[in-house]
Amino acid sequence: MFHKSSKRDFAGAVIGSVLLIAWTFAAHAQAPAPEPAIAITAEDPGLQWGPCPEFLPAGCQIAVLHGDPAQPNADVFFKLPARSDFALHWHTSPERMVLIAGELHVAFEGQAMAVLKPGSYAYGPAKRPHSGSCVSAVPCLLFIAFESPVDAVPTR
């Protein structure tokens, strides 16, 4: 036989458990769908390549891999034609880059020229002017991760 206090404790435990289960189901029902993982190659037919800003060389292209370029944290492929130069410019955002194909020479203002070959990583600080050249016989393909919305501001 239960005592009154034991009955209250038991009833409280049952009610607490029911509320916890109900809250758990409600929390999961309201949670957004998980973001899918992605894996994309530069040859993916689903990539939408678009033109670069006009101050960059003709034939330059950009494809958004992940995110919205108008919002923080977008990833892009940046493709420069073989044997082309790109003008001095800067970005509001820092850039984290990995060269996928070609050979790219990049000069960040106040620093020695960096020579990037496939697999090379480069970091460009926010608002640091830089210029360069795709010196290879094949187009240069660069992966770039931007922290802030994507932009490119010419210095001249």
Side-chain angles (χ1 to χ4, degrees):
M1 177 169 264
F2 288 105
H3 294 285
K4 284 185 179 181
S5 64
S6 295
K7 286 181 182 179
R8 275 195 308 255
D9 291 344
F10 179 73
V14 168
I15 291 170
S17 296
V18 169
L19 289 175
L20 179 61
I21 291 168
W23 177 83
T24 301
F25 281 116
H28 285 292
Q30 295 173 0
E35 183 176 18
I38 59 172
I40 301 173
T41 68
E43 294 78 30
D44 191 303
L47 278 181
Q48 296 180 4
W49 290 93
C52 295
E54 288 186 19
F55 72 90
L56 293 170
C60 175
Q61 296 180 303
I62 298 176
V64 177
L65 301 171
H66 183 259
D68 176 349
Q71 299 296 318
N73 299 314
D75 298 335
V76 302
F77 274 150
F78 175 66
K79 189 186 301 184
L80 282 167
R83 296 187 172 95
S84 65
D85 299 325
F86 60 93
L88 192 65
H89 67 284
W90 55 269
H91 306 278
T92 303
S93 176
E95 297 178 276
R96 289 175 173 79
M97 303 164 272
V98 176
L99 189 68
I100 307 298
E103 183 174 323
L104 187 66
H105 294 187
V106 181
F108 285 93
E109 192 171 74
Q111 293 183 227
M113 176 81 64
V115 176
L116 305 180
K117 295 186 179 188
S120 297
Y121 170 82
Y123 171 77
K127 298 186 178 180
R128 175 76 52 89
H130 55 286
S131 61
S133 302
C134 177
V135 299
S136 53
V138 297
C140 290
L141 180 63
L142 194 63
F143 165 83
I144 307 174
F146 289 92
E147 293 178 12
S148 302
V150 178
D151 64 4
V153 181
T155 59
R156 296 177 196 157

